[in-house]
Amino acid sequence: MKVVIIATEASSDYLGYNLIKSLKKKKKKINLYGVGGPLMESIGFKSWIPISEFNTIGLFEVLIRIKKFLKILKKIENQIRLNEPNILITIDSPSLSYRVVKRIQDLKEKKNIKIYHYVAPTVWAWKKYRAKIFAKLYDGMFTLFRFENKYFTKYQLSTQYVGHQIFFRRKVEKKKKTICFLPGSRNIEIKNNLSKMIPSIKESIAKFKDYDFFVLTFDHSKSLVDEMVKGLKIKVITDYKKKKKIMKTSFLAVAASGSVSLELCKYKVPSIIVYDTHFITKIILKLFVRVKFASLINIFYNREVLPEFLFEKFNAENVFKKMIELIGNKNSRMNQLRMMNDFSEKMILDKKNPSEIIAKSILKD
């Protein structure tokens, strides 16, 4: 059996890694290839394109790199046509994912390829029309949150809630005097976010002298991050296992908005969520996004469980003031940790492994 998986982000690489393990467990004779990152490649996945090629993020950033985007789309399309898989799975990255699938609809019909999407596009936040598009192109959808299903079943797309892989097998560790900064997974967002984190990093190093400080990033971004924090008493970590250990035992985290906020919830690390982007992307987001918050835990409870400083509110004064509060105020920490624990327990379906649910469903079809 041939299975193509398209995963173009660090968070997708993690989901793809776990899915591959479950697929291999259920099907011994299976060939897996497509697009994935170092985690997927570490267990024998063959990636056609390095995940570092997908460094573009945001509406404006994609537009100014449209030639590169189209070239990547064409390369993925050609490889799918060449390999003629039995199953195609796209993970997250909806803008790229549905465009890939749209290009190979003729092959899908001709070869009876089953096509699935894992991680629903956030149609509840914006681009509601995508629910109808995905329903036309895909055979099935696997969602992380219960409330998402209704947006797709409305258009007769077979949709299954599986829970979030991040929260499977959760272990909370004792915290150390460590503060970690997570500026994002792509170079463009790292430039935007880390440059605005640096003043808070400097103030933190000066005030909390008995703490250790880390920037957690990726191999493809290490040289960029090293240059940006040159001269500061902070360590840059890219090794996956070391990053996980530091994250689990951190007393506080300042993180770019994204799936990493879910990991911080899982490990019960008090966190501050930040984000900035190109001003044109910022304007479009403000005009069209229909939710008040960026973090999923905040959206879930409809309140600011994790403090968010986005766009203009993302500045050294706001971030550092909140850092001092979460380090020095026990009540603020405990309130956040209590909600994190509650959220984590609700994110797994009957304590089952999401990847195994998906593998079983896909292989059964």
Side-chain angles (χ1 to χ4, degrees):
M1 175 178 277
K2 297 185 204 175
V3 178
V4 165
I5 301 176
I6 308 297
T8 64
E9 301 182 60
S11 56
S12 308
D13 184 34
Y14 171 77
L15 296 176
Y17 166 78
N18 284 281
L19 179 55
I20 288 168
K21 287 198 293 184
S22 294
L23 288 168
K24 284 184 171 182
K25 188 177 174 182
K26 290 190 176 295
K27 191 91 172 176
K28 299 301 179 186
K29 292 184 179 180
I30 189 168
N31 295 310
L32 294 139
Y33 31 69
V35 179
L39 283 177
M40 292 166 69
E41 289 179 314
S42 72
I43 50 174
F45 182 81
K46 298 170 187 174
S47 186
W48 299 326
I49 304 170
I51 202 169
S52 58
E53 288 291 308
F54 299 88
N55 264 329
T56 302
I57 194 168
L59 303 169
F60 180 73
E61 292 87 347
V62 168
L63 287 174
I64 62 174
R65 293 168 178 81
I66 192 68
K67 283 187 177 180
K68 180 182 177 181
F69 184 73
L70 292 174
K71 188 177 178 181
I72 287 172
L73 267 178
K74 188 64 180 175
K75 184 171 183 178
I76 295 172
E77 177 195 350
N78 289 343
Q79 286 294 332
I80 293 171
R81 290 186 180 281
L82 181 66
N83 287 281
E84 295 185 350
N86 304 101
I87 296 170
L88 169 62
I89 306 160
T90 56
I91 305 179
D92 210 353
S93 303
S95 295
L96 181 131
S97 293
Y98 88 80
R99 286 180 170 88
V100 167
V101 172
K102 191 174 181 180
R103 284 167 172 253
I104 55 110
Q105 284 297 296
D106 61 319
L107 184 67
K108 177 184 187 296
E109 299 300 325
K110 184 180 176 183
K111 298 293 181 179
N112 193 31
I113 301 170
K114 294 292 182 182
I115 304 181
Y116 304 93
H117 189 71
Y118 180 16
V119 184
T122 54
V123 295
W124 39 269
W126 78 321
K127 295 187 177 181
K128 197 173 181 178
Y129 62 87
R130 281 186 171 177
K132 193 173 183 179
I133 291 173
F134 273 71
K136 285 183 178 180
L137 298 174
Y138 285 84
D139 295 296
M141 170 83 71
F142 299 102
T143 64
L144 308 185
F145 305 98
R146 292 181 190 275
F147 72 86
E148 294 176 308
N149 286 26
K150 62 186 177 184
Y151 294 98
F152 303 94
T153 54
K154 176 183 176 181
Y155 297 106
Q156 288 75 56
L157 177 61
S158 176
T159 307
Q160 186 176 358
Y161 162 66
V162 298
H164 206 303
Q165 188 72 42
I166 281 176
F167 296 98
F168 185 64
R169 289 178 181 159
R170 183 166 60 106
K171 183 183 177 184
V172 177
E173 296 191 19
K174 186 177 179 181
K175 307 309 177 199
K176 298 178 181 179
K177 285 193 171 183
T178 295
I179 298 174
C180 64
F181 293 82
L182 303 102
S185 60
R186 304 188 184 202
N187 285 349
I188 290 171
E189 62 181 355
I190 288 169
K191 285 179 184 177
N192 290 330
N193 294 321
L194 186 55
S195 62
K196 296 186 81 170
M197 286 178 177
I198 284 173
S200 299
I201 292 172
K202 289 178 178 177
E203 290 191 73
S204 302
I205 292 170
K207 183 172 180 63
F208 304 110
K209 297 184 186 297
D210 54 344
Y211 278 72
D212 292 319
F213 298 87
F214 298 91
V215 177
L216 308 185
T217 189
F218 301 86
D219 287 335
H220 65 261
S221 304
K222 189 174 188 307
S223 59
L224 169 65
V225 174
D226 281 340
E227 183 61 31
M228 292 182 75
V229 300
K230 186 187 290 183
L232 297 179
K233 192 182 175 183
I234 189 166
K235 294 176 183 176
V236 179
I237 306 296
T238 62
D239 179 79
Y240 180 77
K241 289 183 179 178
K242 287 181 182 177
K243 285 193 296 183
K244 292 299 168 194
K245 185 66 177 176
I246 291 165
M247 193 189 300
K248 287 178 185 179
T249 56
S250 284
F251 197 74
L252 178 69
V254 179
S257 175
S259 62
V260 72
S261 67
L262 298 175
E263 289 189 81
L264 293 165
C265 284
K266 170 182 177 176
Y267 300 133
K268 292 180 72 175
V269 178
S271 303
I272 299 163
I273 304 303
V274 297
Y275 202 78
D276 201 10
T277 187
H278 192 280
F279 78 96
I280 294 177
T281 303
K282 199 183 304 181
I283 291 167
I284 294 169
L285 290 173
K286 286 180 178 180
L287 284 172
F288 295 106
V289 171
R290 301 193 301 270
V291 290
K292 289 190 293 184
F293 303 109
S295 306
L296 283 164
I297 185 172
N298 292 348
I299 293 167
F300 186 84
Y301 291 108
N302 196 30
R303 55 176 280 202
E304 198 173 70
V305 177
L306 305 185
E308 293 185 356
F309 298 114
L310 313 178
F311 311 139
E312 293 83 7
K313 291 181 181 179
F314 180 10
N315 58 57
E317 182 182 357
N318 286 340
V319 173
F320 190 59
K321 185 178 178 182
K322 187 58 70 171
M323 288 178 72
I324 291 172
E325 179 186 330
L326 286 171
I327 290 172
N329 187 316
K330 189 176 180 180
N331 286 336
S332 291
R333 286 181 64 83
M334 293 310 297
N335 286 339
Q336 201 182 104
L337 293 175
R338 189 180 68 254
M339 298 301 289
M340 284 178 161
N341 189 63
D342 184 67
F343 180 69
S344 298
E345 289 180 356
K346 290 175 178 175
M347 288 300 106
I348 285 294
L349 177 63
D350 301 325
K351 296 185 178 180
K352 292 179 181 177
N353 184 341
S355 291
E356 289 185 4
I357 298 171
I358 295 170
K360 184 179 179 181
S361 180
I362 286 171
L363 296 176
K364 180 182 70 178
D365 289 349

